[in-house]
Amino acid sequence: MTKKILVVDDEENILISLEFLLRRAGYAIALARDGDEALAQAERFSPDLILLDVMMPKKDGYEVCHLLRQDPRYERCKIVLLTAKGRDIDRAKGLALGADDYLTKPFATRELLERVERLLAPAPGAA
Amino acid sequence: MLGAESAASWQPLPAWLAAAVAFGYLFLLFAVAYHADRQARLGRSWIDAGWVYALSIAVYCTAWTYFGSVGRAASSGLWFLPIYLGPTLVMLLAAVVVRRMVRVAKQWRITSVSDFIATRYGRAAGLGRFVSLFVFVGVVPYVALQLKAISFAFDVLTGVPTAPVPGWWADRSLWVAAVLVVFAALFGTRHLDVTERHEGLVAAIAFESVVKLGAFLLLGAWVSFIVFSSPGAIVEAAQARFGTAIPPIDAVGGLQYGDWAVMIVLAGLAFLLLPRQFQVMVVENVREGHVERAAWQFPAYLVLINLLVLPVALAGRLFFGDSQLDPDTYVLALPLAQGQSLLALLVFVGGISAATSMVIVESVAVATMICNDWVAPWWVRRRQVAALGHAEIASTLLWVRRVVIAAVLACGYGYYRLTGESFALVSIGLISFAAVAQLAPAALGGLFWAGGSRTGAAAGILTGALVWGYTLMLPSLARSGWFEAHWVEAGPWGIAWLQPERLFGVQGMAPLTASVVWSLGLNTLVYVLVSLVFAPRGEQAQWARRFVRVDAAAGSGGAWRGRVDVAAAAEVMARFLGEERTRELLASHARERGLASPDALEVDAAFVRFAETMLAGAIGGAAARLVLETLLEETSPSFDDVMHVLDEANQIRTYSRMLEEKSRALEEATRRLQEANEKLTELDRLKDEFISAVTHELRTPLTSIRALAEILADDPDLPRDDRLRFYRIIVRECERLTRLVNQVLDLAKLESGHGQWHPEALEVRALLQEAIEAIAPLAKEKEVRLEVSLASGLPPVWADRDRVVQVILNLLNNALKFVPAGTGIIEIRAGRQGEGEVAVHIADNGPGIPPEFLPYVFERFRQARSDATKPAGTGLGLAICKRIVEHMGGRIWVESVPGKGAKFTFTLPLAAGAAHEDGGRNDDEEDPGGR
C-alpha cells in the first residue's frame, strides 16, 4: 500500500523539490504552506508521515507537532521536523515535542529518503 | 638709724648711664633668648624644667609689684598682700584648676585664653572674637602701666627733666617700647603652631624673674641689714615714729575684710586668666608634672619677693615720710638718697625686667589671640589663600602677629600718654584685673560645669564687661579728665542709684570692690541662668563634656577608672556615630534587654559587645576594640591617650566617610556598568538572533538549490520541462542568496559606522525622477500605475546621493511587490515638511500592513507574511532604509489601513542655508507624471 506523506513548508521552491523527489520515490504526496493548512490536510489526508517545516506563518512546526501528538488519530503518524535553524536546542525541543526525527536544512536528498523509508518500515515483530 | 631724717633729694644719675644700662639689659635679654632658642634646636631645652616653669609664671610680678607693692605697703600696710595671696591660693590648688586647663589645652591645642573659652563652648568663633577684643581692651591699661613704670623709673633715677620736653621722640619709654616690640616679635612669633613653644621667650622671662627677685632681695637685704640692723629694728623705729608700724587690715582708708577677700579672689582669677599668665602657665607648659612642682615653687617665689616689702616700705616712710615723695619711688629713692648709685642701677634693672617681661608676654599672648580670632579666619577665608603654600601662609600670619604686637604696645603707650599721669600704679593694674576676671565664670564654670552653654557664656561675659566698663573704666577715664567727673559722684542725669561707684544705691564697699562684686556677681548669675535656659546641645554638649571630664580620667579620681558609665561610652559612640543615632541605638538596645530606658543600662559584657559592634561599623573592628579596651581596662591609660586614640579614630572615620562616598560613587558606577552590561547582553542576544535569522534565510534557498541539484544529478533522464523549471528555480534562489549576502553586508556596514558617506546638497526632485525611471519598466510589466506629484521649488537637501536613491528604490520595489498586478497604483509625492525638512511619500494600494505588525516593519527579518503568497524579499530592505535615513538626519515611518494600502514617508534635512531660502524657481507646480 502506498504510504502517504504530507509536506509542510512556506517556501514554494522547497515544496516543488520535495514533492518531485518523494513522488518519484513512490509516495503519495499532499502539500501545505502554513500551520493551519497543515492541520487541515492532516485530517483530510491522514498521512503516514509528515515533513514539517518549523518556521512558518500562522502556526509554526513545533505547535503543529504538539497539536498532532495530542490527537490519538495521529498516534501512528510519523513526524519529521525540517528546520533551517541548526541549533542543538531546536533539535532537542522538536524531539521533546514528540517528533520522530529531525533534519537540518539544507539536507542531502538521499539522507531524507533513507530516514523517511526507515520510519515508514513496519515495526519489527508488529505484524 | 642713719640719715633717717634726710630730705627727699639726691644727686640724679646721668641720663645716658640709665639709658645705657636699660638698653644694655635688654640686649642681654636678646642674648639669653637667642641662646635658649639655639639650645632648643640642638635638643637641649632650657625650659623643660620645673623651676624654669615656676620662674616663668613669675611674669605675674610686674613693675606694679616691684614699685607698687612698696608704695602700697607704705600707704596701706598689708593691703599689698591680697594681690599675691590670690595667686598663692590658686597655685596651691593647681592640681584642681591649672592642671585641668593645661590638659585641656594640650588635648585641643589651645592657643590662648580666648581660644580656651571659644573651644569650650563648641568652637564658638564669635565668642572667641568677643573675648579677645575685650581682653585686648582690658589689658591695654596694664601695658600702659608698665611703660609708665619704666618712664617713672627713669625720672626717679635721672631726675625729672626741668627743661621743656623737646618732643615725643625724647620720651625714653617710647624707645624702650620699640625695643620691646622688636623683642616680642623676634622671640614671640617664631612659629605659627603654638605647640612649638617659644623656648627663647620663656627662657628670657624666667631669667627676668631671677633678675627682679635678685635685685629686690638685694635692696631689701641692704635696707634691712645694712641701713638698719634688722627688719625688726625697722618695725620698732616705725612704731616709735608713727605709733603703729603696720595698721590692721580694716583700719586703712575705709577698707574692710570683705574688700580684702574680694581682692584675693580678684587676684586669683586674674592670675589664672590674664593672657600672659595663660600663655606661660598653660600654652608654654612643657610637662604636666611641672604644674605640681610649680604649685609650691611659685608661692615660694612670691614669699621671697614680698618678704622684704614691708621693711623697705617702712624704711621709705622713715626716710621720706615727711616729704611728699610718691611711695612708689621708695625702692629707687632709698639707695639713691644713700648715695648707692650701683645698687640704684641694679634696682632700676630689676624694675625694667619686671616691666619688660610683662609687656613682652602680654603682647605676644594678645597678638596670638587677635591674630587667631580676628585676622586669620578673615584672611584664610579669602580665595587667594588657597593658592598659597603652608610656608607663605605661616609667614604672612606671623607678620600679622608682629603687627598686632606693635599695635598692643602702641595702644598701651597711647593710653599711658593720655591718662598715665593721673593714677597710681595700683589702680591701673586693678582695672585690668577686674576686666580679665570677667572671663572667670565662663572659663572656670566651663571647666567644672557641663551645663554651661555658649549663649550663657556670651551673655555672662557681656554683662560683666558692661558693668566693669561702667563702674570701673568710665570713672577712671573721667578722673583722668577725659570728661566731666561730677556725674561719677552724682550719677548720670542725677540718678543716684546709677552712680557708677555706688550701683543700685548700695554703699559701704570700696569702688573697686563694688565693681568686682557687681560685675562678677551679675556675670555669674547671667551665665548660670542663661545656660540653664539655653542648655548646650549636640556638638556643644560634647565639647562641654570633653572639658569637664578631662581630669576625671587620670589624676587622682578612681571613679572613672575601670567603671565606665554608660554616659561615657555613649559619648564615645556619639563621636563616631552621631548623637542622634547613638541615642536611637542605646534606646533600641535597652528595649532588647527589656529595660524601660537607656538610663537603666549598665556597662556589662553584653553592653560592651553592643558598643563594640556599633563602633566597628563606623571605624572598623580593630579600632573599635582599641577604643573600648582603652575605656574599660582597669589599668586604663590616661584620658589623653584615649582622646588621642579617639582623634585618630575620628580621622579614620573621616576617611571612612570619604570611603563611603567613594563606595557610593562606585556603586553608581557599578549600576551604570550593569546597565551597560545589560544593554550589551541585549545587543549580544540581538546579534545572535540576527545571525540565527541570517542563517535561516541562507539555508532556505540553499535547501531548494541542493535538493533540485541532487535531483538533476541523480536522474539524467529527467523530462526537459522539469529540468528547465528546476534550473530556473536554482538560478532565482542563487540570486536571492546573492541579494541577501549583499544586504547583510550593507547593513553590517551601516551599523558599524564604517560606511562611506558623501553627503552633498541634492535636489530631491531629480533623484526621485531618476529612481522612477529605473523602476518604470518593472511597473509597466506588472501594469502598475505610477502617480507622481512633486512640489516645485523644493530646497536642496543634505544627503548622500547613492544612499537616497537606494532608499527610494527600495520603497518603490517594496510597493511594487505588494500591489496587485493590473490594478496597482503607486503614488509618489514630495514636499516641504515643517521648517527644515523635505518629505517623500510613497503610497500603494496593496494589502496594507496589519496593525499589530506596524511597530516591527523596520526591524530586520520582519516581513509581514500574513498571506501565503510570500513576497520575495530578504527582510532587510526596510531596516537598511531606516538606518540610511536616520544616519542622514531624517526620519522614516509608515501608515497603513489594512486592505487599502500602505504609505511610507521619509524626510531629509535641508542643506545648510537652504532652510530660509526662498524657493524662487518657477518650475511647474506639479509634474503629472502618471504612467
Side-chain angles (χ1 to χ4, degrees):
Chain A
M1 189 189 159
T2 312
K3 297 284 185 184
K4 293 185 284 185
I5 297 178
L6 171 61
V7 182
V8 188
D9 202 308
D10 62 335
E11 280 283 326
E12 193 60 30
N13 293 332
I14 291 179
L15 289 179
I16 290 170
S17 60
L18 289 184
E19 185 187 9
F20 186 90
L21 191 71
L22 293 168
R23 224 185 266 285
R24 204 180 52 178
Y27 298 104
I29 302 298
L31 299 176
R33 288 170 179 83
D34 61 46
D36 289 344
E37 203 184 335
L39 290 173
Q41 284 284 52
E43 194 168 351
R44 194 152 27 118
F45 187 59
S46 303
D48 299 294
L49 185 144
I50 303 177
L51 286 175
L52 185 57
D53 183 29
V54 173
M55 292 262 289
M56 291 185 301
K58 300 203 173 149
K59 287 192 176 62
D60 72 7
Y62 293 131
E63 203 179 339
V64 172
C65 180
H66 182 64
L67 290 170
L68 290 173
R69 276 294 167 252
Q70 281 177 338
D71 193 330
R73 288 178 293 170
Y74 308 113
E75 205 183 341
R76 299 170 59 109
C77 177
K78 306 291 183 188
I79 300 177
V80 177
L81 286 174
L82 300 177
T83 178
K85 291 184 171 181
R87 296 181 302 186
D88 287 345
I89 180 84
D90 300 315
R91 186 187 182 87
K93 190 173 168 187
L95 296 180
L97 284 170
D100 296 279
D101 208 343
Y102 189 101
L103 270 174
T104 302
K105 295 176 182 177
F107 40 80
T109 45
R110 202 163 300 146
E111 170 101 16
L112 174 80
L113 290 172
E114 273 173 22
R115 295 217 190 172
V116 167
E117 207 171 320
R118 199 184 311 138
L119 283 169
L120 290 178
Chain B
M1 285 244 289
L2 32 136
E5 303 299 322
S6 66
S9 64
W10 54 82
Q11 188 62 40
L13 296 176
W16 64 264
L17 182 64
V21 168
F23 287 103
Y25 171 74
L26 286 177
F27 285 112
L28 178 64
L29 218 51
F30 273 93
V32 171
Y34 178 74
H35 198 64
D37 257 348
R38 270 186 54 136
Q39 291 292 311
R41 268 201 297 280
L42 297 173
R44 292 189 287 267
S45 174
W46 281 10
I47 70 169
D48 185 8
W51 58 273
V52 176
Y53 177 67
L55 283 175
S56 72
I57 296 178
V59 72
Y60 179 74
C61 300
T62 65
W64 178 18
T65 304
Y66 202 81
F67 300 114
S69 284
V70 169
R72 182 96 170 168
S75 57
S76 322
L78 293 174
W79 278 91
F80 74 97
L81 270 181
I83 300 298
Y84 309 100
L85 290 177
T88 304
L89 287 175
V90 167
M91 276 320 274
L92 292 177
L93 296 172
V96 182
V97 183
V98 179
R99 203 190 162 106
R100 284 177 83 119
M101 287 166 77
V102 168
R103 188 168 292 174
V104 168
K106 279 188 196 304
Q107 181 63 50
W108 304 108
R109 300 162 79 89
I110 280 164
T111 58
S112 66
V113 64
S114 67
D115 191 21
F116 182 84
I117 291 173
T119 306
R120 160 61 180 80
Y121 296 102
R123 298 229 190 264
L127 184 60
R129 278 200 290 279
F130 172 60
V131 168
S132 57
L133 193 67
F134 175 59
V135 168
F136 180 88
V137 172
V139 301
V140 160
Y142 207 173
V143 171
L145 164 65
Q146 306 304 315
L147 296 176
K148 176 180 173 176
I150 291 169
S151 169
F152 163 86
F154 262 110
D155 289 348
V156 172
L157 203 61
T158 63
V160 182
T162 43
V165 178
W168 57 268
W169 43 267
D171 182 1
R172 283 151 300 194
S173 60
L174 175 66
W175 295 107
V176 172
V179 175
L180 293 182
V181 168
V182 172
F183 185 92
L186 263 183
F187 295 100
T189 61
R190 316 251 334 146
H191 324 276
L192 194 58
D193 186 352
V194 285
T195 52
E196 287 183 59
R197 293 173 189 81
H198 304 110
E199 289 268 346
L201 182 78
V202 175
I205 297 311
F207 172 75
E208 297 217 85
S209 293
V210 174
V211 170
K212 67 195 174 198
L213 178 64
F216 196 85
L217 282 178
L218 208 61
L219 172 75
W222 174 74
V223 169
S224 303
F225 300 106
I226 295 176
V227 178
F228 295 85
S229 58
S230 72
I234 302 176
V235 175
E236 275 168 31
Q239 247 160 357
R241 170 93 175 273
F242 310 112
T244 49
I246 306 167
I249 286 164
D250 54 353
V252 178
L255 294 171
Q256 308 290 324
Y257 280 103
D259 300 307
W260 175 268
V262 167
M263 283 279 270
I264 290 178
V265 170
L266 178 63
L269 296 180
F271 170 72
L272 271 176
L273 299 167
L274 275 167
R276 69 173 191 282
Q277 294 307 128
F278 193 90
Q279 180 81 27
V280 293
M281 266 197 301
V282 179
V283 180
E284 305 282 358
N285 173 277
V286 181
R287 276 170 219 284
E288 232 181 276
H290 293 166
V291 176
E292 272 164 39
R293 261 174 290 168
W296 62 266
Q297 284 169 335
F298 177 67
Y301 183 96
L302 290 183
V303 168
L304 281 178
I305 206 163
N306 284 301
L307 196 60
L308 297 172
V309 165
L310 269 178
V312 173
L314 289 176
R317 274 184 78 196
L318 287 170
F319 273 92
F320 311 113
D322 297 333
S323 66
Q324 288 307 304
L325 193 64
D326 181 352
D328 289 349
T329 64
Y330 288 175
V331 277
L332 280 170
L334 277 168
L336 281 171
Q338 296 294 314
Q340 298 285 341
S341 307
L342 195 62
L343 183 62
L345 275 176
L346 254 175
V347 171
F348 172 67
V349 166
I352 296 273
S353 79
T356 54
S357 61
M358 181 278 179
V359 170
I360 289 165
V361 183
E362 200 84 280
S363 61
V364 168
V366 171
T368 305
M369 248 175 351
I370 296 289
C371 179
N372 286 1
D373 291 334
W374 286 90
V375 184
W378 164 80
W379 186 70
V380 165
R381 233 175 278 130
R382 290 178 16 180
R383 254 172 308 150
Q384 304 94 294
V385 178
L388 298 178
H390 172 76
E392 289 154 308
I393 291 174
S395 86
T396 309
L397 286 180
L398 287 179
W399 272 108
V400 169
R401 265 188 217 177
R402 285 164 196 151
V403 170
V404 178
I405 285 172
V408 170
L409 273 159
C411 289
Y413 182 74
Y415 186 91
Y416 148 63
R417 294 293 291 188
L418 288 171
T419 69
E421 302 307 324
S422 57
F423 262 110
L425 298 182
V426 173
S427 25
I428 300 186
L430 288 176
I431 289 173
S432 285
F433 271 35
V436 170
Q438 300 309 323
L439 306 181
L444 300 182
L447 207 50
F448 294 96
W449 180 43
S453 76
R454 182 185 304 177
T455 322
I461 294 174
L462 188 65
T463 307
L466 290 175
V467 177
W468 167 82
Y470 185 68
T471 58
L472 214 54
M473 195 69 177
L474 277 183
S476 98
L477 293 178
R479 295 224 169 80
S480 307
W482 282 31
F483 40 84
E484 282 190 55
H486 71 85
W487 67 270
V488 174
E489 304 299 334
W493 309 288
I495 303 169
W497 63 271
L498 277 180
Q499 268 175 269
E501 294 179 340
R502 273 185 289 282
L503 212 53
F504 310 119
V506 177
Q507 304 213 1
M509 286 192 283
L512 175 76
T513 311
S515 172
V516 170
V517 167
W518 282 123
S519 59
L520 266 183
L522 289 174
N523 180 340
T524 310
L525 190 71
V526 168
Y527 169 66
V528 171
L529 289 181
V530 174
S531 290
L532 287 176
V533 176
F534 301 97
R537 276 178 222 292
E539 208 201 332
Q540 229 197 98
Q542 269 183 47
W543 281 106
R545 281 197 295 276
R546 279 170 195 153
F547 273 54
V548 172
R549 294 226 179 99
V550 74
D551 206 38
S556 55
W560 201 80
R561 219 180 248 179
R563 214 163 49 77
V564 181
D565 56 344
V566 174
E571 184 199 340
V572 171
M573 288 171 67
R575 288 193 67 172
F576 297 100
L577 306 169
E579 295 258 357
E580 200 156 313
R581 173 118 181 88
T582 303
R583 260 200 304 282
E584 283 169 19
L585 288 170
L586 285 174
S588 81
H589 179 66
R591 265 200 307 282
E592 270 170 33
R593 302 181 65 181
L595 297 170
S597 87
D599 300 332
L601 281 171
E602 273 178 40
V603 177
D604 52 15
F607 179 82
V608 171
R609 240 190 339 271
F610 154 77
E612 187 179 328
T613 316
M614 295 304 122
L615 280 175
I619 55 177
R625 202 158 312 125
L626 184 60
V627 165
L628 281 172
E629 267 173 17
T630 322
L631 269 170
L632 295 169
E633 248 175 38
E634 192 64 40
T635 53
S636 154
S638 75
F639 200 77
D640 283 355
D641 297 337
V642 180
M643 284 305 182
H644 186 66
V645 170
L646 288 183
D647 271 348
E648 277 183 0
N650 223 351
Q651 280 181 352
I652 292 171
R653 187 171 68 132
T654 310
Y655 291 137
S656 105
R657 210 180 292 134
M658 282 161 58
L659 273 177
E660 259 172 46
E661 273 161 29
K662 285 253 165 65
S663 92
R664 257 200 299 283
L666 214 62
E667 265 171 35
E668 173 66 16
T670 310
R671 198 182 54 72
R672 277 201 225 117
L673 212 61
Q674 264 169 355
E675 278 176 11
N677 196 38
E678 272 162 26
K679 221 177 261 173
L680 271 178
T681 314
E682 171 68 8
L683 282 176
D684 200 46
R685 198 183 55 76
L686 286 175
K687 189 202 73 185
D688 279 353
E689 242 171 43
F690 178 67
I691 286 177
S692 168
V694 169
T695 309
H696 181 269
E697 295 303 311
L698 287 170
R699 279 178 168 167
T700 303
L702 281 173
T703 308
S704 311
I705 292 168
R706 180 169 186 181
L708 292 171
E710 283 180 2
I711 290 169
L712 288 165
D714 284 351
D715 191 352
D717 304 325
L718 215 56
R720 190 172 175 273
D721 281 356
D722 283 334
R723 217 159 53 222
L724 285 178
R725 187 160 64 105
F726 291 167
Y727 282 141
R728 237 176 262 130
I729 292 174
I730 288 173
V731 170
R732 265 210 306 278
E733 293 289 56
C734 281
E735 282 168 1
R736 183 176 159 194
L737 276 175
T738 310
R739 206 160 52 235
L740 179 71
V741 168
N742 283 341
Q743 291 203 335
V744 167
L745 286 176
D746 199 19
L747 192 65
K749 215 157 48 174
L750 285 172
E751 290 193 341
S752 69
H754 290 313
Q756 297 279 316
W757 296 88
H758 306 287
E760 55 189 315
L762 298 172
E763 297 294 338
V764 176
R765 203 184 156 88
L767 294 180
L768 279 168
Q769 272 160 356
E770 185 182 316
I772 288 162
E773 269 162 37
I775 202 133
L778 286 172
K780 202 167 186 180
E781 193 179 294
K782 205 178 171 182
E783 293 181 60
V784 169
R785 196 150 54 90
L786 297 177
E787 286 184 357
V788 183
S789 113
L790 307 175
S792 67
L794 281 179
V797 297
W798 187 253
D800 181 299
R801 181 189 175 79
D802 292 347
R803 288 300 191 180
V804 176
V805 172
Q806 184 185 353
V807 169
I808 297 168
L809 278 177
N810 207 311
L811 293 176
L812 286 175
N813 271 317
N814 230 18
L816 203 56
K817 215 154 45 187
F818 286 101
V819 290
T823 55
I825 300 169
I826 298 175
E827 226 181 280
I828 301 146
R829 291 192 293 115
R832 280 288 280 265
Q833 171 91 13
E835 263 305 288
E837 287 176 322
V838 163
V840 175
H841 312 273
I842 294 172
D844 63 58
N845 62 343
I849 301 164
E852 71 273 12
F853 187 72
L854 274 176
Y856 309 110
V857 168
F858 296 101
E859 288 187 16
R860 303 170 297 196
F861 300 118
R862 292 277 199 158
Q863 281 171 317
R865 293 195 275 181
S866 53
D867 56 347
T869 53
K870 187 183 159 188
T874 58
L876 289 175
L878 286 175
I880 289 173
C881 287
K882 180 175 163 71
R883 278 170 180 77
I884 290 173
V885 169
E886 286 178 353
H887 187 95
M888 293 188 297
R891 295 166 293 138
I892 185 166
W893 68 92
V894 64
E895 297 149 86
S896 174
V897 178
K900 296 204 170 166
K903 182 170 117 182
F904 283 85
T905 307
F906 72 91
T907 65
L908 289 172
L910 298 185
H916 302 290
E917 201 177 85
D918 202 39
R921 298 188 316 183
N922 292 322
D923 285 26
D924 294 341
E925 279 263 286
E926 296 230 315
D927 182 359
R931 274 161 235 237

